[in-house]
Amino acid sequence: MKSSFKLKFLLSYFFLIFVSLGFVAFFLDRNLEERSLQEIKSNLINEASLIERQVSALSPDLNNPGYLDKLSKELGPRIKSRITIIDLKGKVLADSEVPSHQTALLENHLNRPEVIKALNGQIGEEIRYSSTLRIDMLYLAVPLKDNAAFTGVLRLAMPLTSVQKVLFAVRKTIIIGLFFALGLAFVLASVLARGLIGPINRIIHVSSKFAQGDFSRRIFYSSPDEIGRLAVTLNKMAQDIEEKIREIRTKNQHLNAIFNSMVEGVVVTDNSSRIISINHAIEELFNINKVDALGKFFLEGIRNTDISEVINGAIKSAKLISKEIMLVMPKQRIIQVNVSPVLEKDKVTGAVAVIHDISEIRRLETMRRDFVANVSHELKTPLTSIKGFVETLLDGAMDDKKNSQSFLKIIQEHAERLNNLVNDLLDLSYIESREAALELSRLDLSGLAKEVVLAFSSRLNKHKIEVKNNIPAGTFINADRNKLEQVLTNLFDNAIKFNKEGGGIRILSEDLEKNIKVIVEDSGSGIPAKDIPRIFERFYRVDKARSRELGGTGLGLSIVKHIIELHSGVVGVESTEGLGSKFWFTIPK
Ligand code: ADP
């Protein structure tokens, strides 16, 4: 039997019926035994009184042993009892089952309990085991009297085998009945148990589905009894859990979305620094795969000792720890790591590490610092000169007409440089501020180039530089006119500045699919290969002294780069030292 509840139910039912029927059978049996014994006894008493009357009538003084012997042997078989007649001294005078000549050999009966009672004038009765016959015997003795005087004792003995036979038959019937009743009870109990256990089994089946996480099942049992109420409670519980799970799942999805779209990298570990979760930013920063990293120790999954130390420190100290760390692998980056311990009832159960990539911030900081230093330096040089020459003039040089003229000239040059510098700085900061909204229009590129060349004509003539404008007429671009003019002016200015006497400049364009590539080529000094990568940086100059001498500020190319990038274009340069340079940019059509 599978279900132990059913077994228990059947067994208790069985036990109940067995005990109650057993009680009934036991009392019935007792009662029956007593009653049949009583019946036998009263029969024996009746028979004894009949025989006693006969003896008293025919041989009241018991002096006729022949008669007594005959009487006992005649009546004994009839009443199916042994008849013994004993005198007052205990001597057996006659016995229905002992031959007459042996009667005298029988042992004295005076000490038999039933005999003693009869001699006291009562009816003596005893049940005793007879060792001669090997059965239980019922002995009944009555006094024999001659008028009022006792003359002896009449004893009747009856084997109890018949009583026991009857009792055995009755017991058999009772036991058979008992078994039938138990069998019936078993069948009934099975039927009842099935009715009771069916719904319980259904509840077990459905609740095991609940345990497996399937809360969509319901128990269909609508009786108002206890099991029905249990079913209702379980159904309600499943419904509540289902709703809670749905809620949690939605929240989880939201959290996951936030987690993965975060710019900051997040790593969650347990208290042995085993990775529980990482987000997308971490995968990118460390060039790893989430699936590979989960479940591993931090050092195995992400392989960064510095961060691992911070995490371990936070777990050990149960305090938030922040540290700036330089990453070398897989990319060179500067990161800010903040690790806070996860506490549960004052016990550290894990850690959350939030990693910010602050390389860009640091780069901008450095750039700003350098820029300020550069600007100060660039401003200081002409200012120092101006101050120096003004002091010299004031100290008396003013009177020296010839010198004062040349001093004032130098002061003018430096003031001019300051002016250029400030103008370039203002341009740069305006372009960088992004407030410089582009005023896009359809521009005739070749016309614009012509205008720029025209503006430089006196300088070109002075240095005998020949310009070729190879931009085909009708080349149109979509750009901000003033800004693009500044780009061409700056490039042209450099092409003249760094050119040689009698050199050449060529402006040309290439039609790319969506863009126009504009190239300004010169036959000037060219740029050393090592300087090319940095040439578009602010204040970067190959030869500072020469640039300054030529009135350069070192900002021209960075202005060019900014304007082109504002137009979503790209700038570049190809150059061979001593042979010339080829500056180019692309601009959308
Ligand atoms: P500058 O005011 O010095 O011209 P730019 O930003 O315009 O500043 O240029 C930066 C530096 O790039 C120059 O100092 C020069 O060394 C180099 N350079 C720019 N254009 C040319 C060119 N056409 N030929 C050679 N070198 C150039």
Side-chain angles (χ1 to χ4, degrees), residues 541-552:
R541 283 164 285 189
V542 176
D543 182 345
K544 264 196 187 177
R546 178 147 185 241
S547 159
R548 239 179 245 145
E549 204 179 290
L550 297 169

Side-chain angles (χ1 to χ4, degrees), residues 97-109:
E97 276 162 35
V98 179
S100 327
H101 61 276
Q102 284 179 6
T103 314
L105 303 174
L106 286 171
E107 98 185 72
N108 190 297
H109 275 42

Side-chain angles (χ1 to χ4, degrees), residues 48-49 106 162 199 250 321 392 413 420 426 437 499 521:
S49 82
L106 286 171
S162 60
T250 318
I321 300 185
T392 317
E413 264 169 37
N420 286 347
L426 285 175
N499 221 322
E521 213 176 344

Side-chain angles (χ1 to χ4, degrees), residues 427 431 482-491 559 563:
D427 282 347
I431 297 161
N482 287 340
K483 294 199 171 72
L484 209 74
E485 189 180 336
Q486 189 169 8
V487 167
L488 287 176
T489 306
N490 285 6
L491 291 179
I559 291 172
I563 292 175

Side-chain angles (χ1 to χ4, degrees), residues 494 497-498 522 527 535 540-542 547 552-554 556-557 581:
N494 282 347
K497 267 197 304 197
F498 301 102
D522 66 67
I527 305 161
I535 210 78
Y540 192 84
R541 283 164 285 189
V542 176
S547 159
T553 57
L557 285 182
S581 313

Side-chain angles (χ1 to χ4, degrees), residues 254-286:
H254 291 169
L255 279 179
N256 254 343
I258 295 171
F259 190 58
N260 277 321
S261 59
M262 269 170 81
V263 183
E264 289 84 7
V266 180
V267 184
V268 184
T269 71
D270 65 9
N271 57 9
S272 55
S273 81
R274 226 178 249 278
I275 299 170
I276 295 172
S277 185
I278 60 171
N279 69 350
H280 194 61
I282 290 285
E283 286 182 293
E284 275 198 349
L285 186 62
F286 293 99

